[in-house]
Amino acid sequence: MMSFEIAEPQTLSEALALLDPEDPSVRAIAGGTALMLMMKSGVFRPTRLVSLRKLADAHTRIDARANGELAIGALTPLAALEDAPMVRSRAPVIAETLRTLSNVRVRNVATVGGHLAHADPHMDLPPVLIALRARVAVASRRGTREVAVEDLFAGYYETVLARDELISALIVPAQGERRAAYFKCTTRAADDWPALGVAVAVDGAGSAIREARIVLSAATSKPARLRAAEAILGEGTADAVLARAAEAAAEEADVMADGHGSAAYKRQLVRVYVQRALRRALGAPGVNERAQR
Amino acid sequence: MAAGRKTIRFTLNGKPVETEIANHHNAVEVLEAFGLFGARESCAQGLCGCCTLLVDGKAVSGCLYLAAFLDGAVVTSVEHLERDGALSPVQEAFIEEGAFQCGFCTPGFVLMVEQLLDRCAAPSEDEIRHYLSGNLCRCATYPQIIQAVQRAAEKRKASAAA
Ligand SMILES: Cc1cc2nc3c(=O)[nH]c(=O)nc-3n(C[C@H](O)[C@H](O)[C@H](O)COP(=O)(O)OP(=O)(O)OC[C@H]3O[C@@H](n4cnc5c(N)ncnc54)[C@H](O)[C@@H]3O)c2cc1C
Ligand code: FES
Ligand code: FES
């Protein structure tokens, strides 16, 4: 690693002032779990790291707003998100997903903001948060804006954020009747990067589905909603409908072949895992769940 | 001070310390500079747990932890578990169960097990496996490690009752 400067601003506005819209070698560092790997491998050679650590006190709160939304500070460690009773009761799928996200040490250090800004398509929370209609608050010297997590990712390891913008919070709306589930499939070892992840959320009681979201990750260059499959669920939750939705998902998914499997294999995984995730979300035990018990 | 360097102050195994670091150093390199070799960098990617240390009471992978982040923190390494020459119940349990062969992974496992038992006094086998899934033992002493965790839980319970 080359020589670089570490700045330690005390406030969000000081941090924003230290970023540089033109210079890709200046970056924020939160937990550093992703950046350390990129620096060690030489993919990223910084001239300045803007450490967000001293902002942690002000940006690690998890608040329930009056309208039922959860507002989660960007520097909240993933482990704190996993353990928060409010998250477990209001969006249990987030806590369930975190259980198998990396390991205890990474979750102790990695932050919500760093997780979302890293934009590695293999990561677990982005598809789940898209299914839950979550959004992020983004700050810059120009002011603040909100971006739906669905619109945050521009491509492989790319977000729509400008170099001088920071995520300040994650907002998860009240889930109401929405039921959600996430599955990932690893093809080598259990803790390997997944060949695919599928998050689903169905809104509506029983078999009357008002809205469904089906989000695919890992097999695609960025998390992607499978809208043809989502539309089919308007017809209900009968087995034949779920099977047709899974078929549509396999057809529309823009899967990539890589070391985790060929495109044809991943298409088959989509077909199987979309059905499993839908069944789990709808409350019937999914096949995997039965197998695991 | 030279560019790319920094002075940090923190509490190391109960004592206040100060040292100069290069900005690109990680926490394992800092411990080594203090003559502490229990945390070792092995996979260098956060996967194996050989480099485990506690920062403000939480386990982290030293290989992925920027040295500068230690400034102001309370840092504990495996060397600090021993008290007045006596090993901790977890350390004793690892020896009694023979939960290692070469011992390279052991400091990391021991620190993780201390954390696990602080969180949950009597973990199930499933909880043990899940909690330790981010620690690798190349000698594959996993069955003995699980027995050691169970034995350590009993030892802690016994000493709490005493
Ligand atoms: C061993 C290991 C295993 C892993 N396994 C998994 C897994 O199973 N599933 C999974 O989902 N992920 C996994 N990960 C990835 C992990 O989730 C990310 O490394 C982590 O979430 C990044 O968070 P951080 O705070 O450490 O980010 P950093 O490394 O600090 O930053 C990452 C990126 O985000 C930027 N950034 C940081 N904070 C902000 C902010 N507030 N606003 C804007 N930009 C910001 C940085 O500039 C950088 O580009 C694994 C990582 C490791 C090391
Ligand atoms: S050396 Fe740090 S986790 Fe393997
Ligand atoms: S005892 Fe040799 S690596 Fe675990």
Side-chain angles (χ1 to χ4, degrees):
Chain A
M1 281 194 232
M2 63 199 289
S3 171
F4 55 86
E5 172 203 350
I6 301 178
E8 297 198 285
Q10 306 281 336
T11 64
L12 183 61
S13 54
E14 281 175 31
L16 292 170
L18 286 159
L19 295 172
D20 186 329
E22 309 300 334
D23 186 349
S25 74
V26 174
R27 275 213 213 179
I29 183 164
T33 59
L35 270 189
M36 285 291 275
L37 287 179
M38 292 173 77
M39 293 191 289
K40 285 183 169 195
S41 60
V43 176
F44 173 56
R45 295 171 189 277
T47 55
R48 178 196 295 157
L49 294 180
V50 178
S51 166
L52 305 182
R53 236 166 41 100
K54 301 230 156 112
L55 283 52
D57 285 346
H59 298 277
T60 51
R61 291 173 54 104
I62 303 180
D63 287 320
R65 294 180 171 165
N67 62 3
E69 289 179 348
L70 282 179
I72 300 156
L75 285 154
T76 306
L78 297 182
L81 192 64
E82 180 184 6
D83 290 342
M86 240 184 306
V87 173
R88 283 177 190 261
S89 59
R90 289 170 193 238
V93 67
I94 293 180
E96 282 157 25
T97 300
L98 281 161
R99 192 164 190 266
T100 57
L101 190 157
S102 183
N103 59 49
V104 177
R105 293 180 309 277
V106 169
R107 295 198 296 276
N108 278 343
V109 175
T111 65
V112 168
H115 186 82
L116 287 168
H118 188 44
D120 175 341
H122 299 92
M123 297 200 317
D124 295 309
L125 284 182
V128 171
L129 294 171
I130 293 170
L132 301 183
R133 298 168 147 266
R135 45 195 211 280
V136 285
V138 176
S140 71
R141 278 165 286 186
R142 298 174 294 283
T144 57
R145 61 179 179 132
E146 282 198 354
V147 179
V149 178
E150 179 180 1
D151 301 324
L152 181 63
F153 304 106
Y156 199 63
Y157 287 90
E158 270 178 57
T159 66
V160 300
L161 301 177
R163 290 205 175 92
D164 60 349
E165 285 184 314
L166 289 174
I167 295 172
S168 60
L170 166 69
I171 299 138
V172 181
Q175 293 302 309
E177 291 180 323
R178 212 172 286 138
R179 291 167 281 172
Y182 173 70
F183 271 114
K184 63 174 151 183
C185 171
T186 55
T187 52
R188 296 185 295 213
D191 59 354
D192 191 14
W193 287 111
L196 116 164
V198 177
V200 305
V202 290
D203 192 6
S207 59
I209 305 299
R210 271 192 297 276
E211 192 217 40
R213 283 199 172 196
I214 304 178
V215 189
L216 181 65
S217 61
T220 44
S221 62
K222 60 174 187 170
R225 280 180 65 188
L226 301 176
R227 289 171 191 273
E230 289 174 3
I232 290 172
L233 292 170
E235 296 167 33
T237 58
D239 280 353
V241 177
L242 302 190
R244 268 200 296 125
E247 204 53 53
E251 204 168 303
E252 71 182 304
D254 191 12
V255 298
M256 312 179 295
D258 62 15
H260 300 282
S262 65
Y265 173 65
K266 289 187 186 179
R267 230 170 259 293
Q268 176 61 12
L269 290 179
V270 172
R271 198 173 279 121
V272 172
Y273 276 83
V274 163
Q275 283 204 59
R276 286 185 187 174
L278 284 169
R279 288 223 163 82
R280 176 172 285 183
L282 290 166
V287 179
N288 244 24
E289 192 176 25
R290 260 191 233 128
Q292 276 167 9
R293 293 293 134 104
Chain B
M1 188 173 301
R5 301 187 71 83
K6 211 177 184 71
T7 298
I8 59 170
R9 290 173 196 86
F10 58 102
T11 303
L12 177 59
N13 293 338
K15 295 195 193 81
V17 295
E18 178 178 313
T19 185
E20 191 186 308
I21 55 156
N23 285 343
H24 65 262
H25 278 172
N26 66 39
V28 179
E29 291 167 297
V30 175
L31 293 181
E32 284 172 355
F34 283 97
L36 299 171
F37 297 98
R40 344 28 218 259
E41 187 154 340
S42 179
C43 74
Q45 306 178 45
L47 295 169
C48 74
C50 290
C51 62
T52 301
L53 62 143
L54 308 184
V55 177
D56 294 330
K58 299 224 160 78
V60 313
S61 280
C63 68
L64 292 185
Y65 206 80
L66 210 55
F69 284 3
L70 296 180
D71 191 35
V74 174
V75 179
T76 308
S77 69
V78 71
E79 289 85 353
H80 199 50
L81 292 179
E82 183 186 304
R83 283 294 137 80
D84 306 323
L87 297 177
S88 77
V90 174
Q91 290 174 308
E92 283 174 358
F94 267 69
I95 293 171
E96 287 162 16
E97 292 294 343
F100 47 83
Q101 184 174 221
C102 75
F104 197 84
C105 66
T106 313
F109 269 102
V110 165
L111 279 175
M112 292 301 288
V113 173
E114 298 278 357
Q115 295 258 298
L116 169 61
L117 296 180
D118 287 348
R119 246 180 105 94
C120 172
S124 67
E125 181 169 335
D126 181 59
E127 282 164 331
I128 298 170
R129 284 174 182 275
H130 174 71
Y131 198 88
L132 298 179
S133 65
N135 287 65
L136 302 180
C137 173
R138 301 295 279 189
C139 302
T141 59
Y142 299 110
Q144 290 78 11
I145 290 171
I146 289 167
Q147 286 163 19
V149 181
Q150 290 161 340
R151 184 184 274 257
E154 282 160 25
K155 279 175 177 282
R156 278 192 174 201
K157 198 168 133 200
S159 67

